[in-house]
């Protein structure tokens, strides 16, 4: 009996080994059948990341963080992960600040010397109007935030990369991978020039105003009505600290705002699709002879000193209505999808609002590999994002048409009437700042607000006693106003902007609410 004990141990060991081998074989087969992360599945376009984000700017980084927090695996591909150096994207409106709080990114404006701005000062024809933003009802620290764009971008990237589910890669996306009309991923080149592919059930293209993928996904025409010419004023105190200064003169609108505790950005809007040459001195001459005399005396010396210092930079002011083709597996966002004139600084605010809409929209959809369901949800995005984006788009473009260079005298009269209304203060002034800041994103309120300014101008022409000349001038004013508003409404889509609830897709997910 004792001699049989070792044989029993050996037999039991062999049986246990065979049992474990069988279990492992069945588990391995099941893993190959159902696993989402094996290499074969990735190559076929299944598994791997849940979402590919093209571009790690403000929108791409914020989106990656938002989806990563929701448990999605996100791969971000950015052409250059070094800190950007640009003269635009330096002002985040109050709604944008609220969006940062909503996304958990409010600390990204900390430790970058961002400046808190409380309103706007407008100069026109020797007069000024000081407009303060009403922020008392918001329980968080909301204001306009001005900063170095690159510093803000890097903070957002750091925040996104802090999540284990988010991976940032440096590479240039050259094309989309399509199979049977469905986008499965992207082709990109690494920094070394090696071509690679990445697959995911959803690709979000948000690679900015210079997007090289836009033309395959939408048919909108990019308009360049003007250029921003940027200067940097150092160790200069604005006449009204913590306010953005607008000089509304013809032919160039000029902006001044602090981007750090020691630096003030100046942007000069130069109309047309071609700007004077910087290299041969034409730009310096234009700024000194045409623009400088229009700048208020308290700003002029610092303005001329910045010109003499050099480092003059330019940036095209692009405008493009949103007109995307609904393509399964891919979504356009940010400036790659929709642009408005940057005069009112609404681009980042619109983009962050879009991030919240998309995050909330995708939350009920647990399996992004269901192409049909995903396509329906993406259709909903193009409806849900409209009211906020369209309001800020129409406001920015209308504001530029009112105060930018124009040979149309009636348009100038409307601009003057609008400025006169702002100078009165009160409700019209507070409504205007709420619209510019995105705190009131109702397209209907915007149209009513504009009509009030036109009515003010008409009343000025007809009072105290109507005359033939006054009636003609009023008709000209109303015609010019219609020539501004109606094309903007048509470009945005009247039904999508003003009546989004008439679309069945509107009810697929609740629109993001602006929290107070």
């Amino acid at each position: 009996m004792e001699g049989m004990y070792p044989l029993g141990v050996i037999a039991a060991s062999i049986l246990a080994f065979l049992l474990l081998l069988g279990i492992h074989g069945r588990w391995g087969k099941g893993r190959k059948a159902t696993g989402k992360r094996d290499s074969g599945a990735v190559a076929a376009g299944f598994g791997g990341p849940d979402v590919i984000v093209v571009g790690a700017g403000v929108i791409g980084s914020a989106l990656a963080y938002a989806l990563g927090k929701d448990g999605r695996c996100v791969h971000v591909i950015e052409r250059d992960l070094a800190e950007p150096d640009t003269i635009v994207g330096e002002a985040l409106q109050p709604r944008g600040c609220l969006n940062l709080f909503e996304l958990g990114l409010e600390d990204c404006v900390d430790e970058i010397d961002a400046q808190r701005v409380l309103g706007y000062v407008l100069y026109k024809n020797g007069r000024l109007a000081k407009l303060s933003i009403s922020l008392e009802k918001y329980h968080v620290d909301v204001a306009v935030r001005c900063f170095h764009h690159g510093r803000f971008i890097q903070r957002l990237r750091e925040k996104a990369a802090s999540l284990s589910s988010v991976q940032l890669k440096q590479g240039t996306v050259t094309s989309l991978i399509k199979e049977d009309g469905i986008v499965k991923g992207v082709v990109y080149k690494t920094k070394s020039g090696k071509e690679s592919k990445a697959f995911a059930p959803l690709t979000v293209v948000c690679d900015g105003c210079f997007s090289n993928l836009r033309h395959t996904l939408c048919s909108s025409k990019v308009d360049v009505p003007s250029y921003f010419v940027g200067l940097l004023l150092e160790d200069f105190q604005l006449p009204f600290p913590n306010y953005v200064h607008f000089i509304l003169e013809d032919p160039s609108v000029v902006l001044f705002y602090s981007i750090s505790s020691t630096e003030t950005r100046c942007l000069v809007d130069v109309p047309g699709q071609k700007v004077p040459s910087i290299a041969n001195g034409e730009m310096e001459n234009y700024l000194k002879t045409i623009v400088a005399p229009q700048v208020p005396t308290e700003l002029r010396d610092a303005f001329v000193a910045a010109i003499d210092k050099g480092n003059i930079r330019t940036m095209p002011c692009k405008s493009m209505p949103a007109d995307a083709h609904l393509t399964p597996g891919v979504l356009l966002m940010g400036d790659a999808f929709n642009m408005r004139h940057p005069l009112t600084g609404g681009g980042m605010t619109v983009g962050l609002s879009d991030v919240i809409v998309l995050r909330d929209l995708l939350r009920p959809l647990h399996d992004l590999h269901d192409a049909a369901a995903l396509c329906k949800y993406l259709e909903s995005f193009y409806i849900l994002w409209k009211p906020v984006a369209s309001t800020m788009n129409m406001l920015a473009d209308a504001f530029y048409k009112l105060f930018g260079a124009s040979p149309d005298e009636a348009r100038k009269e409307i601009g003057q009437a609008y400025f006169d209304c702002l100078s009165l203060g009160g409700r019209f002034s507070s409504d205007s700042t709420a619209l510019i800041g995105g705190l009131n994103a109702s397209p209907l309120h915007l149209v009513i607000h504009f009509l009030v300014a036109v009515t003010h101008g008409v009343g000025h022409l007809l009072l105290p006693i109507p005359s033939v000349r006054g009636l003609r001038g009023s008709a000209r004013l109303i015609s010019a106003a219609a020539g501004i508003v109606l094309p903007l409404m048509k470009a945005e889509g009247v039904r999508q902007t003003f009546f989004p609830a008439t679309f069945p897709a509107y009810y697929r997910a609740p629109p993001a609410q602006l929290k107070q």
Side-chain angles (χ1 to χ4, degrees):
M1 292 289 292
E2 292 180 0
M4 296 177 63
Y5 179 76
L7 293 175
V9 170
I10 293 172
S13 299
I14 292 173
L15 287 172
F17 174 77
L18 292 174
L19 181 63
L20 288 172
L21 186 64
I23 293 173
H24 177 75
R26 288 196 299 273
W27 178 81
K29 291 178 181 179
R31 184 183 183 188
K32 289 182 179 179
T34 62
K36 293 184 178 180
R37 302 290 180 187
D38 70 64
S39 59
V42 172
F46 300 98
D50 299 306
V51 182
I52 293 172
V53 176
V54 181
V58 172
I59 312 309
S61 300
L63 179 64
Y65 182 77
L67 297 182
K69 277 182 63 179
D70 280 358
R72 310 282 189 188
C73 180
V74 184
H75 285 192
V76 186
I77 305 174
E78 163 59 36
R79 181 183 61 82
D80 187 357
L81 289 172
E83 182 175 314
D85 182 17
T86 180
I87 61 172
V88 294
E90 297 174 320
L92 184 65
Q93 297 292 355
R95 187 188 182 99
C97 287
L98 288 171
N99 291 337
L100 289 182
F101 277 97
E102 170 74 13
L103 294 167
L105 294 168
E106 66 275 7
D107 57 343
C108 290
V109 293
D110 297 335
E111 301 177 6
I112 61 173
D113 200 14
Q115 301 301 293
R116 195 168 184 268
V117 176
L118 304 176
Y120 318 94
V121 178
L122 279 58
Y123 296 82
K124 187 172 178 62
N125 296 331
R127 299 168 52 202
L128 68 84
K130 185 180 180 183
L131 316 177
S132 298
I133 307 171
S134 179
L135 302 169
E136 294 79 9
K137 65 180 181 179
Y138 297 95
H139 69 277
V140 293
D141 184 17
V142 179
V144 181
R145 300 288 179 141
C146 295
F147 39 66
H148 280 272
H149 180 75
R151 296 176 187 174
F152 182 52
I153 291 287
Q154 293 303 88
R155 290 283 287 156
L156 289 170
R157 289 174 178 174
E158 291 168 7
K159 193 83 171 181
S162 69
L163 299 177
S164 59
S165 56
V166 176
Q167 181 181 357
L168 269 68
K169 297 179 179 179
Q170 183 162 305
T172 301
V173 175
T174 56
S175 62
L176 301 171
I177 300 172
K178 287 186 179 181
E179 295 180 11
D180 300 324
I182 301 174
V183 172
K184 298 287 188 177
V186 299
V187 178
Y188 68 98
K189 287 187 177 180
T190 64
K191 190 176 181 179
S192 63
K194 179 184 177 182
E195 187 171 274
S196 298
K197 294 181 179 180
F199 296 90
L202 175 60
T203 298
V204 181
V205 176
C206 43
D207 53 348
C209 64
F210 298 105
S211 173
N212 64 342
L213 300 177
R214 177 194 298 124
H215 68 280
T216 65
L217 300 170
C218 73
S219 56
S220 293
K221 181 182 178 182
V222 178
D223 183 31
V224 183
S226 64
Y227 277 73
F228 267 158
V229 177
L231 302 168
L232 194 63
L233 288 63
E234 297 181 342
D235 299 316
F236 173 71
Q237 182 75 40
L238 288 169
F240 297 91
N242 303 111
Y243 278 75
V244 176
H245 293 52
F246 285 87
I247 291 84
L248 307 175
E249 301 292 352
D250 190 3
S252 291
V253 176
V254 186
L255 286 77
F256 292 86
Y257 53 92
S258 299
I259 58 173
S260 76
S261 55
T262 60
E263 298 164 302
T264 298
R265 173 69 69 200
C266 172
L267 293 177
V268 180
D269 183 81
V270 178
Q273 298 186 356
K274 184 179 180 181
V275 295
S277 171
I278 296 175
N280 65 14
E282 288 180 0
M283 177 64 76
E284 180 178 340
N285 182 64
Y286 176 85
L287 295 175
K288 285 186 175 181
T289 60
I290 304 297
V291 180
Q294 302 173 349
V295 175
T297 54
E298 59 267 35
L299 296 165
R300 192 176 303 155
D301 289 344
F303 177 73
V304 173
I307 298 171
D308 290 336
K309 187 177 179 180
N311 194 26
I312 302 173
R313 304 170 63 186
T314 63
M315 184 76 178
C317 297
K318 297 185 176 183
S319 180
M320 182 184 72
D323 185 21
H325 306 307
L326 185 60
T327 306
V330 66
L331 187 74
L332 270 172
M333 287 183 69
D335 285 348
F337 172 45
N338 176 220
M339 290 178 279
R340 76 291 309 148
H341 196 283
L343 187 62
T344 56
M348 292 189 294
T349 297
V350 171
L352 291 171
S353 296
D354 295 349
V355 169
I356 293 174
V357 171
L358 183 60
R359 179 202 63 180
D360 293 347
L361 187 64
L362 292 180
R363 274 179 170 170
L365 191 61
H366 300 294
D367 183 13
L368 297 184
H369 290 87
D370 186 341
L374 179 60
C375 190
K376 290 182 179 179
Y377 274 76
L378 298 186
E379 179 188 3
S380 298
F381 172 81
Y382 290 123
I383 301 300
L384 293 171
W385 82 286
K386 258 294 179 184
V388 173
S390 293
T391 301
M392 301 199 74
N393 290 348
M394 291 190 294
L395 174 70
D397 291 336
F399 199 83
Y400 183 71
K401 289 179 183 296
L402 287 177
F403 297 114
S406 172
D408 190 338
E409 290 299 323
R411 201 172 272 189
K412 293 179 181 179
E413 290 176 12
I414 300 174
Q416 186 62 54
Y418 192 90
F419 179 84
D420 292 341
C421 286
L422 292 173
S423 301
L424 297 174
R427 182 65 184 271
F428 192 89
S429 172
S430 61
D431 285 352
S432 181
T433 58
L435 287 165
I436 293 173
L439 299 174
N440 180 355
S442 165
L444 182 59
H445 286 174
L446 173 61
V447 173
I448 293 173
H449 181 78
F450 187 73
L451 290 176
V452 169
V454 175
T455 303
H456 184 274
V458 170
H460 181 73
L461 290 171
L462 296 180
L463 295 176
I465 301 175
S467 64
V468 174
R469 182 179 179 183
L471 289 170
R472 288 177 178 172
S474 298
R476 188 175 70 250
L477 207 67
I478 294 171
S479 176
I484 292 174
V485 173
L486 295 181
L488 293 177
M489 292 171 59
K490 181 181 178 181
E492 294 296 328
V494 174
R495 184 184 172 194
Q496 296 93 324
T497 299
F498 295 91
F499 309 103
T502 62
F503 289 85
Y506 182 80
Y507 298 100
R508 236 168 240 133
Q513 298 295 319
L514 182 62
K515 295 187 177 181
Q516 297 183 4

